[in-house]
Amino acid sequence: MTDFENLKNVCSSCTKCELSKTRTNVVFGRGSSNPDLLFIGEAPGKNEDEQGIPFCGRAGDNLNKLLEENNVDINKIFIANILKCRPPENRDPKNEEMELCTPYLIEQIKLLKPKIICTLGNFSSKFVLANGNIKEMKKIEGITQIHGKLIEINFQGVDVKVVPIYHPAAIIYRRHLKDDFFSDFKIINNLLKEEN
Ligand code: URA
């Protein structure tokens, strides 16, 4: 068994926090174990909890549209979340839950070694930047300020280019963010082309 499969097994039987009592499935993530691009969302919603797959509901439809529009090779991506279990009523993740759960994500990043990370929304952007060694940024700002910017970091030994974009659920109700969501991804698409 690979280290990644082992991590998935450990994560899938996790009972470190209260969310383990209300979840249906642990949503470890899906995709290539050698991805060029890693997407990081916030936490599973209702559909994801039921199916054990990240971004398979309405937010996932927007993410799929983004991938299709940019002809992204889905065999070269991985999709994960900050929390692996659904918070009841889709409330925000609590600090304690993030502290207990993110060691799984850190391990995922170290094992997957993606070239690019696309953080989706505030929670994952702040987490990745706060836990990485940022080369050129003094203060970590919110998604409104940093969306669409390329930020080079060393994430615990992994050199990676981070581009935060709005969360695909945010554009469902805030239509004015939709244009930014799609145009911010162009920078990632260009980076992907450089890689190949
Ligand atoms: N929103 C997220 O942040 N992650 C999912 O997997 C689904 C919706």
Side-chain angles (χ1 to χ4, degrees), residues 27 40-49 53-60 63 79-83 90 120 124 167-169:
V27 182
I40 307 177
E42 186 177 309
K46 187 171 183 292
N47 292 291
E48 291 78 17
D49 175 63
I53 299 169
F55 286 100
C56 60
R58 271 184 84 189
L63 186 58
I79 305 176
N81 279 309
I82 291 283
L83 294 188
N90 299 344
L120 302 168
S124 65
H167 192 285

Side-chain angles (χ1 to χ4, degrees), residues 147-162:
H147 71 94
K149 289 192 181 158
L150 168 61
I151 306 158
E152 297 199 43
I153 68 168
N154 180 283
F155 190 92
Q156 315 207 2
V158 182
D159 279 322
V160 62
K161 296 180 168 84
V162 179

Side-chain angles (χ1 to χ4, degrees), residues 42-43 82-83 87 90-98 123:
E42 186 177 309
I82 291 283
L83 294 188
N90 299 344
R91 63 157 169 74
D92 284 349
K94 292 181 183 170
N95 284 340
E96 186 198 338
E97 290 159 358
M98 290 195 283
F123 279 95

Side-chain angles (χ1 to χ4, degrees), residues 80-119:
N81 279 309
I82 291 283
L83 294 188
K84 309 304 189 204
C85 295
R86 181 190 183 205
E89 312 302 327
N90 299 344
R91 63 157 169 74
D92 284 349
K94 292 181 183 170
N95 284 340
E96 186 198 338
E97 290 159 358
M98 290 195 283
E99 269 162 37
L100 291 168
C101 199
T102 47
Y104 294 123
L105 177 63
I106 292 172
E107 219 33 50
Q108 284 179 309
I109 296 172
K110 286 186 184 172
L111 291 169
L112 292 170
K113 294 188 182 60
K115 297 181 180 108
I116 306 157
I117 294 180
C118 177
T119 51

